[in-house]
DNA sequence: TTGAAAGCGCTAACAA
DNA sequence: TTGTTAGCGCTTTCAA
């Protein structure tokens, strides 16, 4: 069943004008008499005319929509970032089409291709944890599709990027644990190839270093599924608990990892769980309710979404190919919970 | 800057064929020689041709996209429902465009109008807590735009609806609190005019009734902003704490209300908070970490999204106007935490 | 100041 | 089996 609709033609016919005159009146064109313009506008208003955005897109060869690729919208960081994205996009007249990769590389490719096949004017991407080869994105970018990365960025693609100060955030969180007296601090993180992984690992190592605490590779748990699969965390926690030197503190590099590893500890050994101190990246709004408490490294998700979108729209609306790109780094915030 | 692109014309020119022949070959049309078809397909593959969905939309007068209007994607229930929506839509070849009302009526209207102005084939809506007058949706629906409601539905609009068994879920949660020995049970809920509000209130009252516990209006807190503004909850909790007969248990009718009122209790009186028993609707994935624990009424969010999308696509693809509508009710699950 | 006509990419009825 | 043509809704030269 079809959704009935009013076109410019209907107005033209009703008013005994040509479609081009109506079009000009509607766009507020200059080359038209005030009288005609008034009549057209009034009538259009009366019958509640809405231009067909699809026809406009075809004509202008752009869709006034931007595509977003994140791993999971149920993740607090991303849902907050999306709010930031929408706040800017909406104001600038753009639709936002959100897709999720669920940390699957295959799904990510499919989403990007779908979006790119000319239905969006630009792309906002945070890579999935499975994504190792980003050449397909590079292809698109080379062809001229505006792309801005945020959070999980691709090193090898030269474009605007928006990230949190992952090094500093990780350093501060680790230092906080150290100052509490901890020396046996494990680290839960994403797969190695992600940008955020090395940056956060770096902050962790540097803090250990500063306080002369040896770095122990066995304390670092790379989670291939980024915490999407609880079993992975349960296994990692099991391994830690089997070490002769059990860690007594954890620094987790991501939302799902922070909460997921706390759950894993609770599952394995509830009593031990209450003794362990966890600090981790999370943008959860209910972190106050957790027990044992989690000290949170909070990313400015909303602002990151905003900045990324501003950069993208600048790219889209630029008349000339852009060759100068910038990387914006925003500070995290350490929220201490006892 | 424009994103360069390959059209059917390019293929036609390169192969010395007409565009219609190429089109037929691409669509796997029957009236075409296998040889020509092969050549076209091979060439299209080689140059990585992608049809322009916008041109297709204009031609077919549909966009293969569906619009979703929810109050907030950062809400667990909705993000899970969206996953369900996407799983079905994606499989059926539809894009999903997600918009948020942030519980604002004005924003909801703007989103719906934007989506409806012909860029989507159908709409999936869960009403914002501010929405009292839905006549603008009714208008759209009367004009033939396929619409399916889920979760928060409009009574006065006749179309498919997908809801949780709110009555039963509320009854069970309240009964659970009663069986624990509670008689002073407060109820945090959404604004009165929402469908879910009356259904859940009804379950609460019926349970009280069954056990001869008098219903006390002062124990019912309607939260106009559905928990989006913490201050509202703080005030409501303050009022409860000022009663001579403080409630010792809470039944909260919604995700943000469950966690938000626990936070409010912790803010006001941490010690009292640890004594109070909370049961409430929530689809949080970290409910295991809360302290004091929250017994959860979990809605089958993913399935609800799936069912709603199936119904919507059926509506969209129906050749004749549909006049028989159904309301699907799915059961909730009570997850008890001590 | 207005109208006629072409064209954005694609499909489909009609002709050849 | 293939090509020609018109048209989806709109904007924009070009002519009048």
């Amino acid at each position: 069943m079809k959704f009935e609709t009013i076109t410019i033609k209907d107005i033209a016919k009703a008013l005994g004008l040509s479609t081009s005159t109506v079009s000009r009146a509607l766009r507020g064109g200059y080359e038209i008499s005030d009288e005609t313009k008034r009549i057209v506008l009034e009538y259009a208003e009366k019958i509640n005319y809405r231009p067909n955005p699809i026809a406009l897109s075809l004509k202008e060869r752009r869709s006034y929509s931007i595509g977003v690729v994140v791993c999971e919208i149920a993740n607090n960081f991303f849902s907050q970032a999306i709010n930031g994205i929408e706040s800017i996009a909406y104001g600038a007249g753009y639709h936002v089409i959100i897709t999720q990769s669920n940390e699957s590389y295959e799904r990510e490719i499919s989403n990007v291709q779908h979006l790119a096949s000319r239905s969006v004017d630009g792309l906002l991407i945070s890579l999935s944890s499975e994504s190792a080869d980003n050449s397909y994105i590079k292809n698109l970018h080379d062809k001229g599709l505006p792309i801005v990365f945020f959070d999980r960025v691709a090193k090898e693609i030269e474009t605007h990027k928006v990230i949190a100060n992952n090094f500093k955030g990780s350093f501060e969180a680790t230092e906080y644990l150290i100052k509490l007296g901890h020396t046996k601090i494990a680290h839960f993180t994403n797969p190695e190839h992600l940008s955020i992984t090395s940056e956060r690992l770096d902050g962790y190592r540097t803090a250990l270093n500063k306080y002369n605490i040896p770095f122990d590779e066995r304390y670092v748990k790379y989670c291939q599924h980024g915490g999407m699969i609880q079993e992975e965390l349960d296994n990692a926690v099991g391994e830690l608990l089997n070490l002769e030197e059990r860690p007594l503190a954890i620094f987790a590099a991501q939302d799902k990892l922070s909460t997921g590893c706390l759950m894993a500890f609770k599952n394995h050994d509830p009593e031990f769980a209450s003794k362990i101190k966890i600090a981790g990246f999370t943008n959860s709004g209910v972190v106050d309710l957790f027990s044992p408490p989690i000290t949170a490294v909070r990313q400015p998700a909303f602002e990151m979404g905003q900045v990324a979108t501003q950069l993208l729209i600048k790219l889209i609306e630029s008349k000339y190919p852009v060759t100068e790109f910038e990387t914006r780094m925003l500070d995290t915030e350490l929220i201490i919970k006892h």
Side-chain angles (χ1 to χ4, degrees), chain A:
Chain A
M1 129 95 255
K2 281 279 139 58
F3 183 40
E4 73 174 52
T5 175
I6 296 159
T7 74
I8 223 169
K9 234 186 202 164
D10 299 324
I11 301 182
K13 201 177 292 169
L15 264 32
L17 293 166
S18 76
T19 57
S20 38
T21 304
V22 175
S23 170
R24 278 189 280 252
L26 258 17
R27 326 238 92 216
Y30 45 99
E31 33 177 17
I32 194 162
S33 78
D34 287 351
E35 177 60 6
T36 317
K37 193 189 237 171
R38 193 184 54 74
I39 295 177
V40 171
L41 287 176
E42 257 171 28
Y43 185 72
E45 165 79 6
K46 192 182 122 210
I47 63 172
N48 195 26
Y49 166 80
R50 299 264 170 263
N52 181 338
I54 294 179
L56 269 170
S57 296
L58 184 59
K59 187 87 185 88
E60 297 186 24
R61 325 192 63 188
R62 58 185 298 193
S63 61
Y64 281 99
S65 65
I66 64 187
V68 177
V69 184
V70 297
C71 57
E72 202 203 2
I73 58 172
N75 179 310
N76 300 292
F77 170 75
F78 290 115
S79 56
Q80 289 161 25
I82 287 169
N83 284 346
I85 291 169
E86 290 204 323
S87 73
I88 296 295
Y90 195 85
Y94 287 81
H95 261 304
V96 175
I97 302 180
I98 298 158
T99 63
Q100 310 184 66
S101 65
N102 290 308
E103 302 284 17
S104 147
Y105 180 52
E106 196 187 332
R107 184 70 185 255
E108 179 178 287
I109 295 186
S110 150
N111 285 344
V112 171
Q113 299 289 16
H114 197 191
L115 292 171
S117 54
R118 288 279 305 296
S119 63
V120 295
D121 298 338
L123 236 36
L124 248 24
I125 306 184
S126 178
L127 295 170
S128 92
S129 64
E130 269 185 32
S131 314
D133 176 14
N134 303 312
S135 53
Y136 78 104
I137 299 181
K138 187 153 177 32
N139 262 336
L140 252 21
H141 184 244
D142 290 345
K143 274 195 195 149
L145 181 68
I147 296 178
V148 172
F149 286 99
F150 70 103
D151 187 48
R152 302 155 167 208
V153 306
K155 284 212 175 55
E156 67 277 21
I157 301 179
E158 267 203 49
T159 181
H160 293 317
K161 293 166 192 174
V162 179
I163 55 177
N165 193 333
N166 292 305
F167 175 83
K168 186 156 157 264
S170 302
F171 181 88
E172 286 173 358
T174 311
E175 187 175 46
Y176 158 77
L177 293 170
I178 295 171
K179 287 191 169 167
L180 247 34
H182 286 289
T183 54
K184 288 178 274 186
I185 304 170
H187 181 38
F188 280 74
T189 190
N190 290 305
E192 285 192 79
H193 56 269
L194 284 181
S195 59
I196 52 173
T197 301
S198 51
E199 291 163 17
R200 292 173 189 180
L201 183 62
D202 210 17
Y204 164 77
R205 288 188 75 146
T206 305
L208 293 183
N209 240 319
K210 178 174 171 191
Y211 294 90
N212 296 313
I213 300 170
F215 172 80
D216 187 339
E217 186 67 60
R218 290 170 308 170
Y219 277 179
V220 180
K221 294 298 179 191
Y222 299 95
C223 303
Q224 296 310 312
H225 301 284
M228 293 286 281
I229 299 172
Q230 183 63 31
E231 197 191 344
E232 183 175 36
L233 293 170
D234 287 336
N235 292 341
V237 164
E239 287 168 21
L240 288 179
L241 291 175
N242 282 337
L243 292 177
E244 65 280 23
E245 296 256 39
R246 285 182 171 190
L248 290 170
I250 309 283
F251 165 54
Q254 193 230 106
D255 211 307
K256 280 259 148 80
L257 261 24
S258 302
T259 53
C261 88
L262 178 51
M263 273 194 266
F265 275 109
K266 277 192 157 181
N267 290 343
H268 270 280
D269 188 340
E271 207 194 332
F272 185 73
S274 64
K275 279 188 230 131
I276 206 156
K277 183 73 206 167
I278 300 183
F281 276 73
T282 174
N283 276 47
S284 167
V286 291
V287 73
D288 286 344
L289 303 180
F290 294 164
S291 171
I294 291 181
T295 283
V297 180
R298 180 170 297 263
Q299 296 182 82
F302 188 84
E303 291 77 10
M304 287 172 69
Q306 288 192 310
V307 173
T309 311
Q310 281 159 347
L311 291 171
L312 181 65
I313 291 178
K314 224 167 73 185
L315 233 41
I316 292 172
E317 299 185 346
S318 159
K319 298 226 165 47
Y320 313 99
V322 178
T323 53
E324 297 271 302
F325 298 107
E326 52 180 317
T327 295
R328 295 271 190 93
M329 190 185 282
L330 282 74
D331 270 344
T332 59
E333 186 191 357
L334 188 69
I335 300 170
I336 294 172
K337 300 283 172 192
H338 301 289

